[in-house]
Amino acid sequence: SPPGPAAARIMYSLAHRPWHVFCRISLQHRSSLSHRSPRFPQLCYGEPAPVLILSGSPAALTFAVAPRVGLAVRAVLKKREYGPKYTQNNFITAVRAMNEFCLKPSDLVQLRKIRRRSPHDDTEAFTVFLRSDVEAKALDVWGSHEALARERNLRKEVEREYQESRFLDLLSFHTTTFLQGPGKVVMVAICINGLNFFFKLLAWVYTGSASMFSEAIHSLADTCNQALLAVGISQSVRNPDAVHPYGFSNMRYIASLISGVGIFMMGAGLSWYHGIMGLLHPEPMESLLWAYCILAGSLVSEGATLLVASNEIKKSARQQGLSFYEYVMQSRDPSTNVVLLEDAAAVLGVIMAAGCMGLTSLTGNPLYDSLGSLGVGTLLGAVSAFLIYTNTEALLAPSIQAEHVQKLTEFLENDPAVRAIHDVKATDMGLSKVRFKAEVDFDGRVVTRSYLEKQDIDQILNDIQQVKTPEELENFMLKHGENIIDTLGAEVDRLEKELKQRNPEVRHVDLEIL
């Protein structure tokens, strides 16, 4: 049957919608007429919605009233397709514009400048450019994509040559680093152990004592390992770069780990070897008087180095609120730990060697001297095992103490803008530097209220009253939606900044919006 007046009005309404709005028609199962509300839902232009069935071809639609099927029409915005790669609205900093598009500062003067919230702690806002503007300027300067690509390759080659020329700088020492703290301790230990090695070597050549040989090897191993620690300290203070964005602080742990392996192989290994050979092929020894004098001097010097290292550890432990034992076991300062343990082993080794040499002098049996060499080797093996274990654990970036994690989490949860905290990870990056990461469920109402508190409410109400068309509604929502997103970003920055201020050991904070 031909469509009635109501259906004709519906078709007229659908045909005259704006281009960017389409009507979504859904057939819904309805209850019986006796259970329906007497008021029909409204169409886009205020017409009552009859219960209809659409049938026929697209060229000739027919309509029929049905008791259980309804027609619902609503206006929605057409979905915009951006494609897999869309950079038209991307922002780019001046540094990236010059590095990636080979532009000069003068080329950026005429481009549109936009002030945005800065991601850096030391600045609140900075200037960015539209990527599309930068790309257009680069093509204007270089003439073509091919010419721009050639210039990029040329600059990469220059940068590679520059990095190669700086290779020797990686081994350069920073003088100020060795005038205080762990650097000073290491330099003092290098000087003392170097002298000890020289005099112990002379004593071994004169006496032929296996224990004295072990002590000479012990001092040589200490000197080499502490030189390695000096390299690690020097490299650990280097500034972060593009390849190592979190810096080089772990170089101290790497140097300490290698030092532990060196003590085991060079110190313990040679001491065991010489002790076993002394047991298998005992030889008479010359006068041990000079050996005793050198051991006494070594005991004094090693004790002085041990005292310097102990005082440095006590000072650092007190600053971090830890006990001496906790500071050493947690390997908070691996360089000072190595010096402390090596010198403690050296003092015990000197006492052990002197005792075994004394027994040899009293009994005339060289086996006691060989046993002293084995004892010194065992002592060095124990020290090396401890250093290898503690530095390996530190390099694996362990979590910080549970009480500290709870403290950081509670600080975030007590903020009104935060609903919940999930997937918390707080790892020790070395040298008392902590990296904190968490997923944050923000309260959108609090964030929106924070945005509205900074706006002119009367102006917003006036803007709302001016909204008459879908285009005006879209522009209104896009404007305030972007501003609310910026406010959310500012809330993230605020939380990260406050977290670092309250906990100085937290150097890197990554809060992800859930």
Side-chain angles (χ1 to χ4, degrees):
S1 61
R9 285 196 298 273
I10 293 174
M11 293 302 297
Y12 179 82
S13 171
L14 296 176
H16 288 79
R17 298 299 292 164
W19 66 272
H20 62 279
V21 175
F22 67 91
C23 292
R24 180 178 296 169
I25 302 176
S26 58
L27 297 178
Q28 303 172 347
H29 183 72
R30 295 298 189 104
S31 58
S32 62
L33 291 175
S34 61
H35 292 88
R36 282 194 197 141
S37 170
R39 185 177 182 84
F40 288 100
Q42 298 296 311
L43 288 177
C44 299
Y45 290 155
E47 295 292 343
V51 180
L52 300 174
I53 294 178
L54 279 70
S55 62
S57 65
L61 293 175
T62 60
F63 298 83
V65 178
R68 293 183 179 273
V69 180
L71 176 70
V73 181
R74 60 174 178 162
V76 297
L77 286 175
K78 184 178 180 180
K79 182 179 180 181
R80 179 174 298 179
E81 298 293 340
Y82 293 101
K85 184 178 180 180
Y86 183 79
T87 61
Q88 182 177 349
N89 294 333
N90 285 12
F91 292 142
I92 188 172
T93 62
V95 174
R96 284 191 60 193
M98 291 186 287
N99 290 339
E100 297 182 15
F101 294 92
C102 307
L103 297 177
K104 297 181 292 186
S106 58
D107 297 329
L108 305 176
V109 173
Q110 302 300 327
L111 300 183
R112 288 178 290 179
K113 300 177 179 62
I114 304 167
R115 296 290 289 175
R116 298 292 295 174
R117 180 173 48 83
S118 172
H120 308 292
D121 295 336
D122 53 349
T123 54
E124 293 185 358
F126 70 143
T127 301
V128 294
F129 305 89
L130 278 173
R131 184 186 181 95
S132 55
D133 291 350
V134 174
E135 291 175 346
K137 185 64 177 179
L139 289 179
D140 182 53
V141 170
W142 296 104
S144 65
H145 289 285
E146 292 76 13
L148 177 60
R150 286 195 298 270
E151 180 65 21
R152 284 174 175 168
N153 293 334
L154 179 61
R155 296 193 180 192
K156 287 181 180 179
E157 183 66 20
V158 173
E159 175 66 19
R160 184 183 64 80
E161 294 176 356
Y162 172 73
Q163 293 295 337
E164 290 178 353
S165 67
R166 293 184 64 248
F167 176 76
L168 294 179
D169 294 340
L170 298 178
L171 301 179
S172 62
F173 284 2
H174 301 268
T175 305
T176 56
T177 305
F178 297 98
L179 297 179
Q180 57 185 355
K184 177 182 176 181
V185 175
V186 170
M187 292 306 295
V188 170
I190 289 176
C191 296
I192 292 179
N193 283 316
L195 291 174
N196 286 339
F197 165 69
F198 177 74
F199 288 113
K200 287 179 181 178
L201 184 64
L202 291 179
W204 170 69
V205 172
Y206 179 73
T207 63
S209 168
S211 295
M212 186 55 66
F213 174 81
S214 296
E215 278 301 305
I217 293 299
H218 185 176
S219 294
L220 175 62
D222 287 350
T223 304
C224 294
N225 290 328
Q226 285 152 10
L228 183 62
L229 292 179
V231 175
I233 292 174
S234 176
Q235 296 304 300
S236 68
V237 299
R238 290 170 56 196
N239 294 324
D241 55 27
V243 181
H244 306 89
Y246 290 106
F248 298 85
S249 59
N250 280 343
M251 279 299 299
R252 296 194 186 188
Y253 293 98
I254 294 173
S256 299
L257 177 61
I258 298 174
S259 177
V261 175
I263 292 173
F264 183 80
M265 295 180 63
M266 189 173 181
L270 287 178
S271 296
W272 284 330
Y273 170 78
H274 206 73
I276 292 174
M277 293 303 294
L279 291 175
L280 296 178
H281 307 287
E283 296 179 1
M285 293 185 295
E286 302 294 334
S287 174
L288 299 178
L289 177 62
W290 285 106
Y292 291 135
C293 294
I294 291 174
L295 285 178
S298 177
L299 182 63
V300 174
S301 59
E302 297 284 7
T305 309
L306 178 62
L307 183 62
V308 172
S310 299
N311 289 336
E312 181 63 28
I313 288 181
K314 288 178 181 178
K315 177 182 175 183
S316 300
R318 187 165 52 251
Q319 290 175 350
Q320 299 186 23
L322 299 174
S323 66
F324 185 91
Y325 176 79
E326 291 174 338
Y327 190 91
V328 173
M329 294 302 295
Q330 294 177 17
S331 193
R332 292 300 183 95
D333 185 354
S335 303
T336 309
N337 271 7
V338 171
V339 175
L340 174 75
L341 294 175
E342 285 183 345
D343 287 333
V347 170
L348 293 176
V350 167
I351 297 174
M352 188 180 299
C356 291
M357 289 169 60
L359 290 175
T360 298
S361 298
L362 292 176
T363 63
N365 187 353
L367 294 180
Y368 290 110
D369 185 63
S370 299
L371 291 176
S373 180
L374 292 175
V376 172
T378 303
L379 184 63
L380 292 176
V383 171
S384 65
F386 177 80
L387 291 176
I388 292 172
Y389 172 77
T390 55
N391 286 284
T392 301
E393 285 292 308
L395 287 172
L396 292 176
S399 177
I400 62 177
Q401 295 180 353
E403 297 80 6
H404 196 183
V405 176
Q406 183 66 23
K407 175 184 175 183
L408 298 175
T409 304
E410 288 179 354
F411 168 76
L412 292 176
E413 289 179 334
N414 292 336
D415 193 273
V418 177
R419 280 199 181 106
I421 303 294
H422 305 282
D423 193 24
V424 177
K425 293 182 176 68
T427 56
D428 189 345
M429 300 175 59
L431 301 182
S432 302
K433 296 179 182 179
V434 175
R435 180 181 179 184
F436 181 83
K437 176 264 177 187
E439 294 189 5
V440 183
D441 184 4
F442 282 92
D443 190 334
R445 295 169 299 178
V446 174
V447 175
T448 305
R449 188 176 295 110
S450 176
Y451 167 69
L452 292 176
E453 290 172 353
K454 303 173 184 177
Q455 306 303 313
D456 185 348
I457 299 300
D458 292 334
Q459 181 62 42
I460 293 180
L461 290 174
N462 184 60
D463 292 343
I464 293 175
Q465 294 173 358
Q466 301 299 322
V467 174
K468 303 298 182 183
T469 65
E471 295 95 333
E472 294 174 348
L473 175 62
E474 179 182 9
N475 292 332
F476 176 84
M477 294 299 297
L478 291 178
K479 171 187 174 182
H480 292 283
E482 182 176 11
N483 292 338
I484 291 175
I485 293 298
D486 288 341
T487 302
L488 177 59
E491 289 294 317
V492 173
D493 290 344
R494 176 184 62 82
L495 289 174
E496 291 180 349
K497 185 176 181 180
E498 291 180 359
L499 197 64
K500 292 179 181 179
Q501 289 177 344
R502 292 172 178 264
N503 304 274
E505 71 281 2
V506 178
R507 302 295 181 88
H508 304 282
V509 180
D510 301 318
L511 299 182
E512 300 178 3
I513 301 174
L514 186 61

